């Protein structure tokens, strides 16, 4: 006999709630931190490359290569993965035609397939389970039943059928389940399922588990037909019942074989059915799982007495009730509670009710309060938050409350203890919510706050292009200093992580962001405020303008030159077509004075600007003497710098070395060569894995060899070029085997 208990209840070793919570946390960390299984990796590759690997039939559908054959377990996982990724369509479902796939356990939740495709792809297999939750309207429940019943083997052996939220045509008559004589588990949650359909289903000879939640059933008396075999009955939010409380309880009293009963309801309906059930002594003698969440007038005392009279009970659902707060519920060994009294109960609720938005929202609200000041890393809880977000993408209260909970669980140092894969999933879900609810400002604020976490911003994979677009737009729409500070700090890092091509695609956003950033710098400078916001703003400008002609042009057009006199951290000097606009008396005079700063970082940045500006003689035709003086000053300054492996207070970073290459090839001006070589050695010494790889991939290593061997090269330039080649030789060898000079 198969027992069908509550979704959150399964046979296991009994452990205390706190220990179980710790075990779950460890399991989540282990699972999320482990590599994907080889089977999943292979199936993912197959799904991604299905179009390339398959041939096309005359009707446009796909066909597997003739020699391919999948074992049943792999075939089941394959169709499930296609469904999960939204890749199961009429065109792709056709690969399951024929006998190359042996399917038994089929999941087509939310699949976009037609009735014809369903019949051809799945109804000839020997199915024992089918989950067609929320199948598209083209594939209705009558069509599914008709297809399944066309196979005599399925009629006798299909054990589990889930049709939650599937459609039924308005003109459809009674649903005919009667031919599925092997059916043990049936779920029709949120379906136009009537009392006459219940009469039909109750006559199934092997039925043991039934879910008729949120259906149109008005009378459950038909359940008496299967009272000797029904083990699990779920009647959540059965809003159309016309029976009186005594009549309902009379039916339930006869269901003596029930191990699980769910009569939970929406809290707003103030149902008192559970209250009356708890008063009954001669009812549900073998019950192991009772769900009365959302019930009215529920007290700790009534629930305790009910459980004490039924020693087999292992689960009780008490979320959105006034019960679950006494010590009894945490002290009773082996009892699991889905409620809102503590983290353990909330965790159970999020797990049990993951498909019920009303309870997910309730549990998340309780979770937010419980975790507001938490200092404990809880990956298992964060995973459940992610599940709630993923299962209810169109429910604003769920998305908003979940985003707030995610912030609580990842703020400050908590994110460091979370697996990267889990953080990536949560971050991606937050951005998905942003797209779904673009005008809900508090949700946007929560998403922005999550990105201020350095662990997420630096280490976690997510769509940085979309993130940059969102943050730049936010910056330009909000004047609140605190929100601006957050946005600026995020942009300063995201801008460095975007490729030049991506930055170019963000033309409008970059234009607005540069304008706003310059306004912030101007304001901070005028007020003599040297704070962290100014630092991040300067970094953001630096990273936005690097290798972006458009960003540099926006800088010039928005009076950046006037502000630039007081700002060094940008890369405008690398854009040659702007040189003539930069070579003004005020700019050159100020940069020259900064070259002699006692702060090495300031001197270094000024030297870089001078090296780029003087590398092209053309803009200096009318003032060549001034250019020569600058070059001599540059050379003398570099001689006074410490070793190029020295430490600077500010982190110097580059996205590419390509802007350095014209300087390296300028043998007529060894001063600019010298600055470029000093800079390259410095960053290679600080992050060799990044910059040595960059030097190899961008083919800059040969330029160093050219300088080393050039007969007219400056001796000091030759020495630094040789040092780069020799000192980082082993790093270069990791990326290729160049013939080092």
């Amino acid at each position: 006999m198969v027992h069908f208990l509550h979704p959150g209840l399964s046979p296991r070793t009994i452990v205390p709630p706190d220990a179980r919570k710790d075990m779950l946390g460890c399991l989540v960390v282990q699972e999320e931190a482990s590599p994907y299984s080889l089977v999943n990796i292979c199936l993912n590759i197959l799904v991604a490359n299905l179009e390339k690997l398959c041939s096309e039939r005359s009707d446009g559908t796909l066909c597997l290569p003739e020699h391919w054959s999948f074992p049943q377990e792999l075939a089941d996982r394959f169709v499930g993965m296609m469904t999960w990724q939204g890749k199961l369509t009429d065109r792709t479902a056709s690969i399951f035609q024929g006998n190359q796939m042996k399917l038994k356990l089929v999941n087509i939740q939310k699949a976009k397939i037609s009735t014809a495709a369903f019949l051809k792809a799945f109804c000839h297999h020997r199915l024992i389970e089918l989950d067609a939750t929320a199948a598209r309207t083209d594939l209705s429940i009558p069509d599914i039943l008709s297809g399944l019943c066309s196979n005599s083997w399925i009629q006798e052996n299909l054990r589990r059928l889930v049709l939650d939220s599937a459609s039924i045509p308005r003109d459809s008559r009674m649903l005919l389940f009667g031919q599925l004589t092997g059916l043990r588990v049936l779920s029709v949650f949120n379906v136009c399922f009537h009392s006459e359909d219940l009469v039909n289903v109750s006559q199934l000879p092997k039925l043991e588990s039934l879910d008729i939640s949120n259906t149109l059933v008005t009378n459950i008396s038909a359940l008496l037909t299967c009272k000797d075999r029904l083990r699990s009955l779920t009647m959540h939010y059965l809003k159309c019942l016309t029976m009186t409380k005594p009549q309902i309880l009379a039916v339930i009293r006869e269901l003596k074989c029930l191990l699980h009963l769910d009569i939970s309801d929406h809290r707003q309906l103030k149902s008192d059915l559970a209250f009356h059930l708890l008063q009954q002594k001669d009812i549900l003698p073998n019950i192991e799982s009772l769900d009365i969440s959302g019930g009215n007038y529920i007290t700790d005392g009534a629930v305790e007495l009910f459980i004490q009279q039924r020693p087999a009970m292992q689960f009780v659902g008490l979320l959105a009730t006034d019960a679950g707060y006494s010590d009894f519920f945490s002290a009773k060994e082996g009892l699991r509670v889905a409620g809102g009294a503590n983290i353990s109960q909330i965790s159970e609720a999020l797990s049990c009710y993951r498909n019920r938005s009303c309870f997910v929202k309730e549990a998340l609200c309780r979770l937010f309060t419980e975790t507001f000041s938490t200092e404990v890393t809880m990956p298992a809880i964060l995973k459940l938050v992610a599940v709630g977000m993923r299962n209810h993408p169109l429910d604003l209260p769920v998305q908003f409350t979940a985003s707030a909970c995610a912030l609580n669980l990842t703020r400050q140092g908590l994110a460091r203890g979370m697996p990267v894969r889990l953080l990536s999933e949560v971050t991606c879900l937050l951005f998905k919510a942003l797209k779904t609810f673009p005008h809900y400002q508090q949700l946007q604020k929560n998403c922005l706050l999550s990105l201020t976490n350095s662990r997420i911003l630096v280490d976690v994979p997510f769509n940085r292009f979309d993130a940059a677009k969102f943050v730049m737009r936010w910056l330009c729409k909000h004047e609140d200093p605190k929100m601006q500070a957050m946005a600026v700090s995020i942009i300063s890092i995201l801008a460095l992580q975007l490729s030049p091509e991506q930055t170019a695609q963000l033309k409008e956003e970059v234009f607005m962001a540069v304008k706003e950033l310059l306004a912030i710098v101007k304001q901070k400078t005028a007020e003599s405020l040297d704070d962290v916001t100014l630092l991040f703003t300067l970094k953001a400008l630096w990273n936005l303008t690097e290798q972006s002609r458009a960003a540099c042009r926006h800088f010039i057009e928005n009076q950046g030159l006037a502000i630039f006199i007081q700002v060094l951290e940008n890369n405008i000097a690398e854009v040659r077509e702007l040189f003539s606009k930069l070579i003004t008396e005020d700019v050159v005079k100020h940069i020259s004075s900064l070259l002699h700063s006692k702060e090495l970082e300031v001197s270094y940045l000024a030297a870089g600007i001078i090296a780029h500006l003087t590398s092209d003689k053309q803009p200096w035709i009318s003032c060549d003497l001034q250019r020569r003086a600058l070059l001599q000053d540059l050379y003398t300054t570099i001689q006074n710098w410490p070793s190029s492996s020295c430490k600077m207070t500010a982190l110097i970073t580059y996205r590419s070395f390509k802007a350095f290459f014209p300087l390296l090839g300028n043998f007529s001006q060894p001063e600019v060569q010298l600055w470029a070589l000093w800079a390259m050695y410095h960053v290679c010494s600080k992050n060799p894995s990044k910059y040595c790889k960059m030097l190899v991939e961008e083919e800059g290593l040969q330029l160093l060899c050219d300088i080393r061997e050039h007969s007219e090269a400056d001796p000091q330039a030759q020495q630094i070029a040789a040092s780069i080649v020799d000192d980082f030789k082993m790093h270069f060898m990791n990326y290729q085997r160049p013939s080092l000079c």
Side-chain angles (χ1 to χ4, degrees):
M1 179 177 66
V2 180
H3 287 187
F4 298 97
L5 308 179
H6 190 274
L9 184 63
S10 58
R12 65 182 66 200
T13 303
I14 296 174
V15 293
D18 289 342
R20 182 170 175 270
K21 182 177 67 176
D22 293 340
M23 289 169 57
L24 287 174
C26 292
L27 288 172
V28 169
V29 171
Q30 184 178 8
E31 176 188 350
E32 295 290 335
S34 300
Y36 290 110
S37 70
L38 182 59
V39 170
N40 279 346
I41 292 172
C42 292
L43 290 179
N44 266 311
I45 291 174
L46 285 177
V47 173
N49 295 278
L50 206 55
E51 294 280 348
K52 298 177 183 177
L53 298 170
C54 294
S55 57
E56 188 175 84
R57 295 188 179 92
S58 58
D59 62 358
T61 60
L62 298 182
C63 179
L64 288 174
E66 291 183 5
H67 60 282
W68 283 25
S69 179
F70 280 64
Q72 174 259 317
E73 184 180 351
L74 278 184
D76 290 342
R77 290 176 69 171
F78 191 31
V79 68
M81 190 169 289
M82 290 178 66
T83 298
W84 175 262
Q85 297 182 16
K87 299 292 181 64
L88 190 66
T89 63
D90 283 7
R91 177 172 169 80
T92 59
S94 57
I95 65 172
F96 299 102
Q97 297 179 17
N99 297 315
Q100 290 172 280
M101 300 275 193
K102 305 291 185 182
L103 297 174
K104 279 190 175 181
L105 314 175
V106 171
N107 179 350
I108 57 171
Q109 290 188 41
K110 301 180 182 179
K112 298 178 180 179
I113 59 173
S114 64
T115 299
F118 172 75
L119 294 173
K120 292 178 182 178
F122 302 113
C123 292
H124 64 289
H125 291 280
R126 294 192 166 191
L127 303 183
I128 59 174
E129 290 190 11
L130 174 65
D131 187 340
T133 297
R136 64 183 289 180
T137 54
D138 289 355
L139 180 60
S140 67
I141 290 180
D143 294 330
I144 293 172
L145 293 176
S146 176
L148 294 174
C149 292
S150 66
N151 183 328
S152 59
W153 193 95
I154 290 179
Q155 288 184 35
E156 296 178 6
N157 295 280
L158 184 71
R159 297 185 310 202
R160 180 173 178 267
L161 180 59
V162 180
L163 300 171
D164 298 348
S165 299
S167 64
I168 297 177
R170 290 184 178 181
D171 58 350
S172 178
R173 297 183 179 180
M174 187 173 67
L175 301 175
L176 300 177
F177 291 91
Q179 295 182 59
L180 299 175
T181 55
L183 203 60
R184 293 170 180 259
V185 181
L186 175 64
S187 181
V188 288
F189 166 76
N190 195 35
V191 166
C192 292
F193 183 91
H194 296 81
S195 296
E196 52 267 33
D197 299 314
L198 182 61
V199 172
N200 177 246
V201 165
S202 298
Q203 296 173 9
L204 292 172
K206 296 182 179 180
L207 185 69
E208 295 181 359
S209 176
L210 179 62
D211 186 342
I212 54 173
S213 302
N214 194 25
T215 60
L216 302 179
V217 170
T218 59
N219 191 310
I220 60 170
S221 299
L223 293 174
L224 296 174
T225 306
C226 55
K227 65 178 183 178
D228 295 327
R229 54 183 180 273
L230 197 62
R231 304 290 183 268
S232 174
L233 176 61
T234 301
M235 304 191 300
H236 165 71
Y237 191 40
L238 208 55
K239 58 187 182 296
C240 295
L241 273 181
T242 56
M243 302 171 70
T244 64
K245 299 293 187 308
Q247 289 173 330
I248 297 171
L249 293 173
V251 173
I252 294 176
R253 183 175 287 105
E254 294 299 315
L255 305 178
K256 300 185 185 299
C257 294
L258 274 187
L259 302 176
H260 164 68
L261 175 64
D262 182 348
I263 54 171
S264 60
D265 216 329
H266 289 201
R267 188 171 197 168
Q268 293 81 357
L269 296 183
K270 299 183 178 180
S271 170
D272 60 355
L273 176 61
F275 167 76
H276 291 289
L277 175 71
L278 293 176
Q279 313 306 314
Q280 312 298 310
K281 294 182 179 180
D282 58 341
I283 200 169
L284 302 173
N286 301 308
I287 199 72
E288 296 179 6
S289 166
L290 176 65
D291 198 332
I292 53 176
S293 289
N296 216 19
Y297 311 122
I298 308 298
T299 64
D300 281 342
V303 178
E304 288 177 31
L305 181 61
F306 188 89
I307 293 174
Q308 288 169 346
Q309 293 172 346
R310 294 159 182 81
M313 280 195 66
Q314 301 174 41
F315 173 88
V316 61
L318 298 174
L319 185 66
T321 70
D322 295 327
Y325 296 89
S326 76
D327 293 338
F328 168 85
F329 296 100
S330 54
K332 183 169 173 55
E333 188 176 3
L335 180 67
R336 295 161 59 188
V337 182
N342 51 51
I343 286 289
S344 179
Q345 290 188 15
I346 294 168
S347 173
E348 196 70 48
L350 286 171
S351 179
C352 293
Y353 304 130
R354 57 182 61 191
N355 293 320
R356 298 180 185 175
S357 61
C358 63
F359 288 159
V360 169
K361 180 181 68 175
E362 180 77 24
L364 288 172
C365 287
R366 303 293 181 93
L367 179 64
F368 175 78
T369 303
E370 286 288 326
T371 58
F372 189 74
S373 302
T374 186
E375 297 179 359
V376 179
T377 302
M378 294 183 278
I381 302 295
L382 184 61
K383 181 69 176 179
L384 291 171
V385 172
V387 170
M389 294 186 73
R390 188 173 61 243
N391 287 357
H392 307 284
L394 303 180
D395 193 307
L396 176 57
V398 168
Q399 295 297 315
F400 168 62
T401 315
S403 70
C405 291
L407 279 177
N408 283 355
L409 294 167
T410 59
R411 61 184 170 76
Q412 299 176 356
L414 295 179
R416 285 195 290 271
M418 296 289 186
V420 169
R421 193 187 301 168
L422 177 57
L423 290 173
S424 177
E425 179 184 7
V426 171
T427 305
C428 292
L429 286 167
L430 285 171
F431 276 103
K432 186 176 180 180
L434 279 181
K435 292 182 178 180
T436 306
F437 305 103
H439 304 299
Y440 196 71
Q441 193 169 115
Q442 190 59 46
L443 181 62
Q444 292 183 332
K445 186 176 180 179
N446 286 351
C447 188
L448 187 70
L449 284 164
S450 71
L451 285 180
T452 60
N453 191 303
S454 58
R455 162 81 161 155
I456 293 175
L457 200 55
V458 176
D459 298 335
V460 173
F462 62 92
N463 191 323
R464 282 165 166 76
F465 179 84
D466 283 351
K469 178 185 289 187
F470 158 66
V471 178
M472 288 180 192
R473 289 181 175 178
W474 174 280
L475 174 67
C476 301
K477 292 179 180 178
H478 298 83
E479 297 181 357
D480 179 77
K482 291 183 179 179
M483 300 309 298
Q484 278 194 336
M486 286 191 292
V488 167
S489 68
I490 295 168
I491 292 173
S492 69
I493 298 177
L494 282 180
L496 189 63
Q497 297 171 336
L498 297 176
S499 67
E501 294 75 20
Q502 288 177 316
T503 304
Q505 291 178 43
L506 293 170
K507 182 178 179 181
E508 180 183 349
E509 287 78 14
V510 169
F511 172 78
M512 294 189 298
V514 168
K515 185 176 181 180
E516 189 63 35
L517 290 168
L518 285 171
I520 294 173
V521 173
K522 187 175 182 179
Q523 177 189 351
K524 296 290 183 182
T525 305
E527 297 174 358
S528 298
L529 293 176
D530 184 12
D531 58 12
V532 69
T533 302
L534 177 60
L535 174 62
F536 281 127
T537 305
L538 296 175
K539 284 186 176 181
L541 282 167
W542 173 281
N543 294 333
L544 278 175
T545 55
E546 184 175 1
Q547 290 194 335
S548 174
R549 286 173 165 77
C552 292
R553 189 169 290 108
H554 296 330
F555 185 96
I556 296 292
E557 293 171 352
N558 286 280
Q559 300 179 346
L561 278 178
I563 305 170
F564 185 76
I565 296 299
Q566 302 171 53
V567 181
L568 280 176
E569 294 183 28
N570 61 74
N571 301 344
I572 295 173
E574 295 178 5
V575 184
R576 292 180 175 272
E577 56 262 39
L578 299 178
F579 283 8
S580 60
K581 295 183 179 181
L582 288 172
I583 302 172
T584 66
E585 183 178 351
D586 287 343
V587 172
V588 172
K589 181 179 178 181
H590 191 70
I591 294 174
S592 181
S593 68
L594 292 170
L595 182 65
H596 300 287
S597 172
K598 293 180 181 179
E599 299 291 335
L600 179 57
E601 294 85 351
V602 175
S603 181
Y604 168 83
L605 292 167
I609 296 172
I610 291 173
H612 283 287
L613 289 179
T614 57
S615 64
D616 186 0
K617 297 179 181 180
Q618 187 64 32
W620 297 86
I621 291 177
S622 61
C623 49
D624 190 57
L625 287 175
Q626 188 182 17
R627 184 183 69 85
R628 288 176 179 274
L630 274 175
L631 286 171
Q632 181 59 46
D633 204 9
L634 174 64
Y635 189 85
T636 303
T637 299
I638 295 175
Q639 303 304 313
N640 295 327
W641 286 351
S643 165
S644 51
S645 61
C646 68
K647 184 177 181 180
M648 292 196 203
T649 305
L651 179 64
I652 304 298
T653 58
Y654 294 101
R655 194 179 329 202
S656 170
F657 280 138
K658 291 181 180 179
F660 286 57
F661 294 167
L663 307 184
L664 294 177
N666 194 338
F667 287 93
S668 65
Q669 295 177 193
E671 301 88 354
V672 302
Q673 270 187 333
L674 200 57
W675 177 84
L677 290 164
W678 196 98
M680 294 175 78
Y681 190 100
H682 175 76
V683 294
C684 284
S685 69
K686 301 309 171 192
N687 193 346
S689 60
K690 174 182 177 179
Y691 290 107
C692 291
K693 180 182 180 182
M694 183 188 294
L695 198 52
V696 170
E697 291 179 345
E698 294 183 349
E699 301 179 355
L701 208 53
Q702 185 59 47
L703 294 173
L704 300 180
C705 295
D706 291 344
I707 294 173
R708 185 177 184 180
E709 301 299 327
H710 201 286
S711 59
E712 298 180 6
D714 179 82
Q716 190 175 358
Q718 288 181 316
Q719 180 185 348
I720 299 179
S723 296
I724 296 174
V725 173
D726 296 339
D727 293 356
F728 305 106
K729 182 176 181 178
M730 295 307 298
H731 289 283
F732 295 138
M733 299 287 282
N734 287 335
Y735 306 111
Q736 69 173 37
R737 293 189 176 273
S739 54
L740 300 178
C741 49

